[in-house]
Amino acid sequence: MKSPSSISDGRDGFTLIEVLIAVSITVIALTMLYGSFSQVVTAKRRVETDNELIQEANTILLKMRHDLVNAFPRGNINSRISSPTAYPSFRGWLEAENSRIVFTSFAGDPAHHSRQSGQSEISYYLVPLRDGMSALVRKDNYWIGNDETGAVYPLSERVLGFRVNFLTGRPAASDNEQAVWQWDSTAMRGFPQAVQIRIVLSGDGGGEETHSMIVAIPVAD
């Protein structure tokens, strides 16, 4: 007759060491799986952020391009100024390290003022926010020359830099080719041949995305 101890020794089961080994293997497998999943999620988030920045930059550049290709010298339209010929129709200058550009354009929607031509004064400039970030805003002002009027709305609120330079009509291969940071259509006697736009946006994790475009001004030809 077998003793109770010999009977219990014959039962199937797991020892404590076997259980600990199994738990350890499971933990390692789950850790590796979580690490792989986390990397996939991080990469997906980075790609989505990059695509979002590209779309945001393209939207800004295409909007500016639309306004600039419709730039036209100011006439006596929607104006309270008695001497329209003395008013500069295209101006650009630096404010610290960034640019401000103001010009008259037919890019506005004439439906707002059905009896008018649709010409308005368009402005692009930065408004400082927090943490070194700025908002790039667009101002559309039908009452040309009156700085207190016009509709202002932000195009992006994660802008690190906005620079515009103006290209003259000199040949690109010329040593005298100028790319100036300031422009006044009255002093320069006309519009620039082209405008180069450069925008720096803040990406995920503090990275920077730089986007640029050169826009020819048809009225300068």
Side-chain angles (χ1 to χ4, degrees):
M1 182 176 180
K2 295 183 178 179
S3 64
S5 59
S6 62
I7 295 175
S8 62
D9 291 339
R11 290 177 181 175
D12 294 332
F14 299 100
T15 64
L16 179 60
I17 294 178
E18 290 174 335
V19 172
L20 291 177
I21 292 174
V23 170
S24 299
I25 293 174
T26 303
V27 169
I28 293 173
L30 291 176
T31 301
M32 294 176 63
L33 182 62
Y34 175 78
S36 300
F37 178 75
S38 178
Q39 290 178 358
V40 171
V41 171
T42 301
K44 180 176 180 292
R45 187 183 299 116
R46 186 181 299 112
V47 170
E48 289 176 346
T49 301
D50 291 343
N51 288 338
E52 184 180 342
L53 284 176
I54 292 173
Q55 292 177 4
E56 190 169 313
N58 286 339
T59 299
I60 295 170
L61 293 174
L62 290 176
K63 183 62 177 174
M64 292 190 68
R65 180 184 182 278
H66 174 72
D67 290 340
L68 286 167
V69 298
N70 286 283
F72 197 83
R74 172 183 176 268
N76 194 12
I77 301 168
N78 292 339
S79 176
R80 296 170 181 169
I81 308 298
S82 59
S83 301
T85 56
Y87 186 80
S89 299
F90 201 109
R91 293 171 292 154
W93 63 93
L94 286 177
E95 295 178 335
E97 296 297 322
N98 297 295
S99 298
R100 179 186 288 254
I101 183 172
V102 182
F103 55 94
T104 53
S105 174
F106 283 104
D109 182 3
H112 291 295
H113 299 271
S114 59
R115 293 179 297 176
Q116 306 294 347
S117 70
Q119 188 179 35
S120 60
E121 185 178 67
I122 307 295
S123 305
Y124 286 92
Y125 55 93
L126 292 186
V127 175
L129 299 175
R130 61 194 179 281
D131 301 329
M133 214 78 72
S134 297
L136 176 63
V137 301
R138 178 184 183 271
K139 181 177 181 181
D140 191 341
N141 184 12
Y142 279 95
W143 296 107
I144 300 172
N146 186 351
D147 292 337
E148 296 181 359
T149 60
V152 180
Y153 62 90
L155 298 173
S156 175
E157 296 185 357
R158 46 181 172 183
V159 180
L160 297 174
F162 171 60
R163 295 293 292 267
V164 175
N165 69 306
F166 310 99
L167 306 180
T168 67
R170 296 185 178 89
S174 172
D175 293 337
N176 296 323
E177 166 75 6
Q178 284 188 335
V180 296
W181 297 109
Q182 299 188 49
W183 192 274
D184 188 307
S185 58
T186 302
M188 302 290 192
R189 297 185 178 180
F191 284 27
Q193 293 288 321
V195 176
Q196 184 178 37
I197 309 163
R198 180 176 176 270
I199 303 172
V200 182
L201 299 179
S202 176
D204 192 20
E208 297 181 3
E209 290 281 346
T210 302
H211 302 267
S212 62
M213 174 184 286
I214 295 179
V215 181
I217 308 298
V219 75
D221 295 336

mmCIF file of all heavy atoms in Angstrom, residues 28-55:
data_model
loop_
_atom_site.group_PDB
_atom_site.id
_atom_site.type_symbol
_atom_site.label_atom_id
_atom_site.label_comp_id
_atom_site.label_asym_id
_atom_site.label_seq_id
_atom_site.Cartn_x
_atom_site.Cartn_y
_atom_site.Cartn_z
ATOM 1 N N ILE A 28 8.204 38.876 -21.494
ATOM 2 C CA ILE A 28 9.155 39.272 -22.544
ATOM 3 C C ILE A 28 8.453 39.398 -23.893
ATOM 4 O O ILE A 28 8.657 40.364 -24.641
ATOM 5 C CB ILE A 28 10.311 38.259 -22.617
ATOM 6 C CG1 ILE A 28 11.166 38.328 -21.340
ATOM 7 C CG2 ILE A 28 11.175 38.531 -23.849
ATOM 8 C CD1 ILE A 28 12.220 37.247 -21.247
ATOM 9 N N ALA A 29 7.589 38.438 -24.200
ATOM 10 C CA ALA A 29 6.868 38.463 -25.477
ATOM 11 C C ALA A 29 5.943 39.665 -25.559
ATOM 12 O O ALA A 29 5.886 40.357 -26.588
ATOM 13 C CB ALA A 29 6.077 37.169 -25.654
ATOM 14 N N LEU A 30 5.226 39.933 -24.448
ATOM 15 C CA LEU A 30 4.330 41.089 -24.434
ATOM 16 C C LEU A 30 5.108 42.399 -24.539
ATOM 17 O O LEU A 30 4.660 43.350 -25.193
ATOM 18 C CB LEU A 30 3.471 41.076 -23.165
ATOM 19 C CG LEU A 30 2.414 39.963 -23.080
ATOM 20 C CD1 LEU A 30 1.711 39.996 -21.735
ATOM 21 C CD2 LEU A 30 1.394 40.118 -24.215
ATOM 22 N N THR A 31 6.269 42.457 -23.886
ATOM 23 C CA THR A 31 7.096 43.667 -23.954
ATOM 24 C C THR A 31 7.575 43.919 -25.374
ATOM 25 O O THR A 31 7.538 45.054 -25.871
ATOM 26 C CB THR A 31 8.307 43.541 -23.010
ATOM 27 O OG1 THR A 31 7.846 43.329 -21.667
ATOM 28 C CG2 THR A 31 9.162 44.793 -23.061
ATOM 29 N N MET A 32 8.034 42.858 -26.030
ATOM 30 C CA MET A 32 8.482 43.002 -27.409
ATOM 31 C C MET A 32 7.322 43.405 -28.322
ATOM 32 O O MET A 32 7.474 44.255 -29.213
ATOM 33 C CB MET A 32 9.097 41.684 -27.894
ATOM 34 C CG MET A 32 10.390 41.298 -27.168
ATOM 35 S SD MET A 32 11.021 39.694 -27.686
ATOM 36 C CE MET A 32 11.367 40.016 -29.424
ATOM 37 N N LEU A 33 6.162 42.801 -28.094
ATOM 38 C CA LEU A 33 4.991 43.132 -28.897
ATOM 39 C C LEU A 33 4.574 44.578 -28.688
ATOM 40 O O LEU A 33 4.270 45.294 -29.647
ATOM 41 C CB LEU A 33 3.835 42.189 -28.536
ATOM 42 C CG LEU A 33 2.529 42.375 -29.331
ATOM 43 C CD1 LEU A 33 2.783 42.120 -30.805
ATOM 44 C CD2 LEU A 33 1.449 41.448 -28.794
ATOM 45 N N TYR A 34 4.604 45.026 -27.432
ATOM 46 C CA TYR A 34 4.236 46.418 -27.136
ATOM 47 C C TYR A 34 5.238 47.384 -27.755
ATOM 48 O O TYR A 34 4.865 48.435 -28.286
ATOM 49 C CB TYR A 34 4.163 46.635 -25.628
ATOM 50 C CG TYR A 34 3.909 48.085 -25.251
ATOM 51 C CD1 TYR A 34 2.632 48.626 -25.339
ATOM 52 C CD2 TYR A 34 4.960 48.904 -24.833
ATOM 53 C CE1 TYR A 34 2.396 49.947 -25.001
ATOM 54 C CE2 TYR A 34 4.734 50.228 -24.508
ATOM 55 C CZ TYR A 34 3.452 50.736 -24.592
ATOM 56 O OH TYR A 34 3.223 52.056 -24.267
ATOM 57 N N GLY A 35 6.544 47.012 -27.682
ATOM 58 C CA GLY A 35 7.561 47.870 -28.268
ATOM 59 C C GLY A 35 7.369 48.024 -29.767
ATOM 60 O O GLY A 35 7.464 49.132 -30.311
ATOM 61 N N SER A 36 7.082 46.927 -30.444
ATOM 62 C CA SER A 36 6.841 46.981 -31.895
ATOM 63 C C SER A 36 5.599 47.798 -32.208
ATOM 64 O O SER A 36 5.585 48.629 -33.121
ATOM 65 C CB SER A 36 6.692 45.572 -32.456
ATOM 66 O OG SER A 36 7.873 44.809 -32.230
ATOM 67 N N PHE A 37 4.547 47.595 -31.444
ATOM 68 C CA PHE A 37 3.307 48.336 -31.655
ATOM 69 C C PHE A 37 3.520 49.823 -31.401
ATOM 70 O O PHE A 37 3.011 50.672 -32.150
ATOM 71 C CB PHE A 37 2.217 47.785 -30.730
ATOM 72 C CG PHE A 37 0.909 48.509 -30.839
ATOM 73 C CD1 PHE A 37 0.081 48.299 -31.937
ATOM 74 C CD2 PHE A 37 0.514 49.407 -29.863
ATOM 75 C CE1 PHE A 37 -1.126 48.971 -32.045
ATOM 76 C CE2 PHE A 37 -0.688 50.083 -29.965
ATOM 77 C CZ PHE A 37 -1.515 49.862 -31.063
ATOM 78 N N SER A 38 4.279 50.137 -30.345
ATOM 79 C CA SER A 38 4.545 51.539 -30.029
ATOM 80 C C SER A 38 5.327 52.220 -31.146
ATOM 81 O O SER A 38 5.063 53.371 -31.497
ATOM 82 C CB SER A 38 5.317 51.637 -28.706
ATOM 83 O OG SER A 38 5.634 52.978 -28.397
ATOM 84 N N GLN A 39 6.296 51.509 -31.724
ATOM 85 C CA GLN A 39 7.072 52.071 -32.831
ATOM 86 C C GLN A 39 6.193 52.317 -34.053
ATOM 87 O O GLN A 39 6.332 53.334 -34.739
ATOM 88 C CB GLN A 39 8.222 51.132 -33.188
ATOM 89 C CG GLN A 39 9.320 51.071 -32.136
ATOM 90 C CD GLN A 39 10.418 50.101 -32.510
ATOM 91 O OE1 GLN A 39 10.351 49.446 -33.541
ATOM 92 N NE2 GLN A 39 11.436 50.009 -31.667
ATOM 93 N N VAL A 40 5.275 51.382 -34.307
ATOM 94 C CA VAL A 40 4.356 51.546 -35.437
ATOM 95 C C VAL A 40 3.464 52.759 -35.224
ATOM 96 O O VAL A 40 3.249 53.570 -36.135
ATOM 97 C CB VAL A 40 3.511 50.274 -35.632
ATOM 98 C CG1 VAL A 40 2.401 50.519 -36.653
ATOM 99 C CG2 VAL A 40 4.384 49.125 -36.080
ATOM 100 N N VAL A 41 2.941 52.899 -34.002
ATOM 101 C CA VAL A 41 2.068 54.039 -33.691
ATOM 102 C C VAL A 41 2.830 55.350 -33.809
ATOM 103 O O VAL A 41 2.326 56.336 -34.363
ATOM 104 C CB VAL A 41 1.468 53.889 -32.281
ATOM 105 C CG1 VAL A 41 0.743 55.160 -31.858
ATOM 106 C CG2 VAL A 41 0.523 52.704 -32.233
ATOM 107 N N THR A 42 4.077 55.373 -33.292
ATOM 108 C CA THR A 42 4.890 56.591 -33.364
ATOM 109 C C THR A 42 5.200 56.962 -34.812
ATOM 110 O O THR A 42 5.105 58.129 -35.208
ATOM 111 C CB THR A 42 6.204 56.392 -32.587
ATOM 112 O OG1 THR A 42 5.903 56.085 -31.219
ATOM 113 C CG2 THR A 42 7.053 57.654 -32.640
ATOM 114 N N ALA A 43 5.561 55.954 -35.611
ATOM 115 C CA ALA A 43 5.852 56.216 -37.023
ATOM 116 C C ALA A 43 4.607 56.705 -37.755
ATOM 117 O O ALA A 43 4.672 57.623 -38.579
ATOM 118 C CB ALA A 43 6.390 54.948 -37.687
ATOM 119 N N LYS A 44 3.468 56.104 -37.443
ATOM 120 C CA LYS A 44 2.209 56.518 -38.071
ATOM 121 C C LYS A 44 1.879 57.953 -37.695
ATOM 122 O O LYS A 44 1.471 58.753 -38.546
ATOM 123 C CB LYS A 44 1.083 55.590 -37.634
ATOM 124 C CG LYS A 44 -0.285 55.925 -38.228
ATOM 125 C CD LYS A 44 -1.310 54.890 -37.818
ATOM 126 C CE LYS A 44 -2.690 55.208 -38.397
ATOM 127 N NZ LYS A 44 -3.257 56.429 -37.791
ATOM 128 N N ARG A 45 2.069 58.313 -36.417
ATOM 129 C CA ARG A 45 1.793 59.670 -35.965
ATOM 130 C C ARG A 45 2.726 60.674 -36.642
ATOM 131 O O ARG A 45 2.315 61.770 -37.023
ATOM 132 C CB ARG A 45 1.932 59.760 -34.449
ATOM 133 C CG ARG A 45 1.498 61.116 -33.880
ATOM 134 C CD ARG A 45 1.722 61.183 -32.380
ATOM 135 N NE ARG A 45 0.941 60.167 -31.689
ATOM 136 C CZ ARG A 45 1.458 59.166 -30.993
ATOM 137 N NH1 ARG A 45 2.776 59.025 -30.940
ATOM 138 N NH2 ARG A 45 0.694 58.307 -30.379
ATOM 139 N N ARG A 46 4.002 60.267 -36.801
ATOM 140 C CA ARG A 46 4.971 61.157 -37.452
ATOM 141 C C ARG A 46 4.605 61.402 -38.910
ATOM 142 O O ARG A 46 4.664 62.523 -39.403
ATOM 143 C CB ARG A 46 6.375 60.572 -37.349
ATOM 144 C CG ARG A 46 7.470 61.500 -37.875
ATOM 145 C CD ARG A 46 8.834 60.865 -37.763
ATOM 146 N NE ARG A 46 9.175 60.560 -36.387
ATOM 147 C CZ ARG A 46 9.298 59.344 -35.901
ATOM 148 N NH1 ARG A 46 9.096 58.290 -36.687
ATOM 149 N NH2 ARG A 46 9.618 59.140 -34.640
ATOM 150 N N VAL A 47 4.207 60.324 -39.595
ATOM 151 C CA VAL A 47 3.810 60.465 -41.001
ATOM 152 C C VAL A 47 2.569 61.348 -41.121
ATOM 153 O O VAL A 47 2.481 62.215 -42.005
ATOM 154 C CB VAL A 47 3.556 59.086 -41.628
ATOM 155 C CG1 VAL A 47 2.916 59.232 -43.004
ATOM 156 C CG2 VAL A 47 4.854 58.305 -41.731
ATOM 157 N N GLU A 48 1.603 61.147 -40.230
ATOM 158 C CA GLU A 48 0.387 61.950 -40.267
ATOM 159 C C GLU A 48 0.697 63.422 -40.007
ATOM 160 O O GLU A 48 0.139 64.308 -40.663
ATOM 161 C CB GLU A 48 -0.614 61.431 -39.233
ATOM 162 C CG GLU A 48 -1.232 60.085 -39.590
ATOM 163 C CD GLU A 48 -2.135 59.554 -38.494
ATOM 164 O OE1 GLU A 48 -2.065 60.086 -37.363
ATOM 165 O OE2 GLU A 48 -2.916 58.618 -38.772
ATOM 166 N N THR A 49 1.607 63.691 -39.048
ATOM 167 C CA THR A 49 1.985 65.069 -38.745
ATOM 168 C C THR A 49 2.701 65.703 -39.922
ATOM 169 O O THR A 49 2.428 66.855 -40.285
ATOM 170 C CB THR A 49 2.883 65.121 -37.500
ATOM 171 O OG1 THR A 49 2.191 64.554 -36.385
ATOM 172 C CG2 THR A 49 3.261 66.555 -37.160
ATOM 173 N N ASP A 50 3.620 64.948 -40.542
ATOM 174 C CA ASP A 50 4.337 65.473 -41.714
ATOM 175 C C ASP A 50 3.372 65.779 -42.849
ATOM 176 O O ASP A 50 3.475 66.829 -43.493
ATOM 177 C CB ASP A 50 5.398 64.470 -42.175
ATOM 178 C CG ASP A 50 6.545 64.331 -41.184
ATOM 179 O OD1 ASP A 50 6.682 65.223 -40.317
ATOM 180 O OD2 ASP A 50 7.296 63.344 -41.271
ATOM 181 N N ASN A 51 2.432 64.885 -43.095
ATOM 182 C CA ASN A 51 1.448 65.112 -44.156
ATOM 183 C C ASN A 51 0.566 66.309 -43.846
ATOM 184 O O ASN A 51 0.216 67.099 -44.741
ATOM 185 C CB ASN A 51 0.581 63.869 -44.358
ATOM 186 C CG ASN A 51 1.331 62.728 -45.013
ATOM 187 O OD1 ASN A 51 2.336 62.942 -45.678
ATOM 188 N ND2 ASN A 51 0.863 61.512 -44.815
ATOM 189 N N GLU A 52 0.228 66.460 -42.572
ATOM 190 C CA GLU A 52 -0.598 67.599 -42.166
ATOM 191 C C GLU A 52 0.150 68.915 -42.382
ATOM 192 O O GLU A 52 -0.428 69.898 -42.857
ATOM 193 C CB GLU A 52 -0.993 67.450 -40.698
ATOM 194 C CG GLU A 52 -1.936 68.540 -40.200
ATOM 195 C CD GLU A 52 -2.307 68.344 -38.742
ATOM 196 O OE1 GLU A 52 -2.124 67.219 -38.233
ATOM 197 O OE2 GLU A 52 -2.791 69.299 -38.123
ATOM 198 N N LEU A 53 1.452 68.921 -42.050
ATOM 199 C CA LEU A 53 2.260 70.117 -42.266
ATOM 200 C C LEU A 53 2.380 70.444 -43.747
ATOM 201 O O LEU A 53 2.301 71.608 -44.147
ATOM 202 C CB LEU A 53 3.649 69.938 -41.649
ATOM 203 C CG LEU A 53 3.768 70.057 -40.139
ATOM 204 C CD1 LEU A 53 5.194 69.748 -39.698
ATOM 205 C CD2 LEU A 53 3.363 71.442 -39.669
ATOM 206 N N ILE A 54 2.584 69.412 -44.569
ATOM 207 C CA ILE A 54 2.690 69.633 -46.013
ATOM 208 C C ILE A 54 1.394 70.211 -46.561
ATOM 209 O O ILE A 54 1.409 71.170 -47.350
ATOM 210 C CB ILE A 54 3.048 68.306 -46.723
ATOM 211 C CG1 ILE A 54 4.472 67.871 -46.353
ATOM 212 C CG2 ILE A 54 2.921 68.460 -48.234
ATOM 213 C CD1 ILE A 54 4.838 66.496 -46.862
ATOM 214 N N GLN A 55 0.260 69.654 -46.143
ATOM 215 C CA GLN A 55 -1.027 70.155 -46.608
ATOM 216 C C GLN A 55 -1.262 71.587 -46.134
ATOM 217 O O GLN A 55 -1.762 72.432 -46.887
ATOM 218 C CB GLN A 55 -2.147 69.243 -46.116
ATOM 219 C CG GLN A 55 -2.134 67.851 -46.746
ATOM 220 C CD GLN A 55 -3.208 66.949 -46.178
ATOM 221 O OE1 GLN A 55 -4.022 67.369 -45.368
ATOM 222 N NE2 GLN A 55 -3.203 65.697 -46.595
#
